[in-house]
Amino acid sequence: MIKKIVVFYILVSLSSCSSYNSIDTFYNAHKNDNQVTAVRVPQFMLSMISEISPEMQALVGNTKDLRYMQFPSATSSKTQLLNQQMNGITGNSFIEVFRKNDELKRNVVSIREKKNSVKEILIYNNDNQTGSFLYFNGDFDPAKVREMAKNEQFTKMGNHIISQFGASTPGINSQN
């Protein structure tokens, strides 16, 4: 009887540490790193992003959580660590819809489905100099997600988020 209780608690502990919270863990672990740009878009600001295009309006209209992070990845060991962390996040619970590997460079689009809709989208890019991820949580049409991944619209959206928030946001100014 005690063995069953111990096994039960172990399983509950493991499931509470599942990959569902791994985006939170990764985001919180790296948001204070040097040279990191981290954006977590609140609901009221999603309307700005939805104005990028009709496709973005269709996607963002159903978004509950949107995050973007860009981080330095200038060394092979850092790139390898980031690639391993992202592989750990997507692990068993995400479905890869696109992956391109070139040595340590990565372009990956992964989704998590529930029945006939996509609930989470994770886009990870690392070019051995800079890494980034774009994360959506909501209720999305699988066909539209595949089309957007194929047309690289998620990458364009990440660049737009950085330009929207990076240049106009008060913060650190470089002075020589």
Side-chain angles (χ1 to χ4, degrees):
M1 179 69 171
I2 292 176
K3 269 187 174 178
K4 289 181 181 179
I5 292 172
V6 170
V7 170
F8 175 74
Y9 281 114
I10 290 172
L11 289 175
V12 169
S13 296
L14 289 175
S15 68
S16 69
C17 298
S18 69
S19 62
Y20 186 80
N21 292 324
S22 292
I23 283 294
D24 286 330
T25 304
F26 184 89
Y27 187 87
N28 289 328
H30 294 287
K31 71 181 179 183
N32 292 314
D33 290 353
N34 192 30
Q35 298 179 343
V36 166
T37 301
V39 179
R40 187 168 187 182
V41 182
Q43 284 285 310
F44 73 91
M45 294 185 81
L46 289 171
S47 63
M48 277 183 9
I49 295 168
S50 69
E51 295 173 7
I52 296 171
S53 68
E55 293 83 9
M56 287 296 122
Q57 170 60 42
L59 181 69
V60 173
N62 297 318
T63 302
K64 297 175 188 165
D65 186 10
L66 175 59
R67 300 179 203 196
Y68 180 81
M69 183 178 277
Q70 187 177 48
F71 34 83
S73 183
T75 66
S76 294
S77 60
K78 180 72 171 183
T79 301
Q80 194 168 21
L81 173 69
L82 292 167
N83 288 347
Q84 288 172 349
Q85 288 177 336
M86 279 296 155
N87 285 339
I89 290 171
T90 57
N92 297 326
S93 61
F94 279 78
I95 299 167
E96 285 186 11
V97 293
F98 176 80
R99 175 180 279 270
K100 182 178 179 184
N101 296 337
D102 183 10
E103 306 261 335
L104 288 176
K105 297 177 184 179
R106 297 286 184 274
N107 293 317
V108 182
V109 178
S110 299
I111 62 170
R112 185 178 300 178
E113 295 178 311
K114 186 173 183 182
K115 296 188 181 181
N116 290 331
S117 69
V118 173
K119 295 297 184 182
E120 293 177 78
I121 305 167
L122 178 62
I123 299 95
Y124 172 66
N125 293 299
N126 196 321
D127 65 5
N128 244 357
Q129 296 296 314
T130 304
S132 67
F133 80 80
L134 181 60
Y135 170 78
F136 295 88
N137 184 323
D139 189 14
F140 313 105
D141 176 16
K144 185 159 293 292
V145 171
R146 284 188 193 95
E147 178 184 326
M148 291 180 75
K150 180 180 172 184
N151 296 332
E152 297 183 7
Q153 289 176 301
F154 290 115
T155 303
K156 294 173 190 170
M157 184 175 188
N159 294 336
H160 185 74
I161 289 171
I162 286 298
S163 68
Q164 262 317 73
F165 290 98
S168 62
T169 304
I172 301 170
N173 294 324
S174 298
Q175 296 178 349
N176 296 334

